Amino acid sequence: MNDEPRWLTAEEQLVWRSYIEGATLLEDHLDRQLQRDAGMPHVYYGLLVKLAESPRRRMRMTELAKYAKITRSRLSHAVARLEKNGWVRREDCPSDKRGQFAILTDEGYEVLSRTAPGHVSAVRQAVFDRLTPEQQKSLGEIMRIVAEGLQPSEAGADLPWLR
């Protein structure tokens, strides 16, 4: 049995490093835009968006953590900050004593409505305006494949929202 690692080829190394550089710079770009325009990091904006898209602007905390791909403790911290701003409130789940809902408040919805145009402009400028329609489609397909491979469905999978 060969214990030698399958090292990346020179071409694979270039692809990998380009991905890391692009992903890091994109996240920083979006974080800075959202901090400037709304005083919140990108991950908080994503939580507000998901709540706005959910029925009655509410979602179980466990489902919200799964959507955001973050640990439950990180979500709890984020929701506490959003609550402090008056943008989200929590409500106990009547059918499950341990469960809670995160609910987007009217004030949170207003912040999201004011912030969305600048955010979509930043995303468009940073990503979509730089890619051809074919490249956009390829990027979507590639990232779906990567995401699916990192979300095993078997019990006991080590996923952030299960921690």
Side-chain angles (χ1 to χ4, degrees):
M1 182 157 126
N2 185 1
D3 288 343
E4 184 68 23
R6 285 184 52 218
W7 298 110
L8 298 179
T9 65
E11 189 172 320
E12 289 169 334
Q13 191 68 253
L14 286 173
V15 169
W16 175 243
R17 290 180 182 180
S18 293
Y19 166 78
I20 293 296
E21 183 178 8
T24 301
L25 288 170
L26 178 60
E27 189 62 28
D28 178 70
H29 174 72
L30 297 176
D31 258 344
R32 283 184 294 115
Q33 177 268 318
L34 287 164
Q35 285 290 355
R36 182 182 62 245
D37 292 357
M40 76 175 97
H42 189 217
V43 71
Y44 291 15
Y45 178 84
L47 296 172
L48 296 181
V49 167
K50 188 60 179 174
L51 290 172
E53 295 171 344
S54 298
R56 296 175 44 215
R57 299 192 316 210
R58 65 191 295 126
M59 188 175 226
R60 284 186 66 116
M61 291 282 285
T62 52
E63 289 301 308
L64 193 54
K66 183 177 181 180
Y67 159 78
K69 311 294 186 249
I70 59 178
T71 63
R72 290 177 288 196
S73 68
R74 184 171 179 205
L75 175 67
S76 185
H77 177 74
V79 169
R81 293 280 309 275
L82 293 168
E83 278 181 305
K84 187 176 175 188
N85 291 341
W87 300 344
V88 170
R89 65 183 171 82
R90 284 187 237 207
E91 201 173 88
D92 290 334
C93 178
S95 62
D96 176 4
K97 297 286 185 209
R98 294 181 353 161
Q100 281 192 320
F101 286 101
I103 302 162
L104 182 65
T105 64
D106 291 341
E107 186 179 347
Y109 188 81
E110 287 302 316
V111 167
L112 186 60
S113 296
R114 283 194 313 270
T115 307
H119 182 65
V120 76
S121 178
V123 169
R124 185 166 292 291
Q125 176 268 327
V127 179
F128 293 97
D129 290 349
R130 298 173 185 271
L131 302 176
T132 66
E134 295 78 23
Q135 290 171 323
Q136 293 173 22
K137 184 177 179 192
S138 293
L139 178 61
E141 291 169 352
I142 290 164
M143 295 316 297
R144 249 186 315 282
I145 290 167
V146 170
E148 287 169 4
L150 293 171
Q151 296 181 91
S153 57
E154 67 265 1
D158 185 21
L159 297 166
W161 56 91
L162 298 176
R163 289 185 224 136

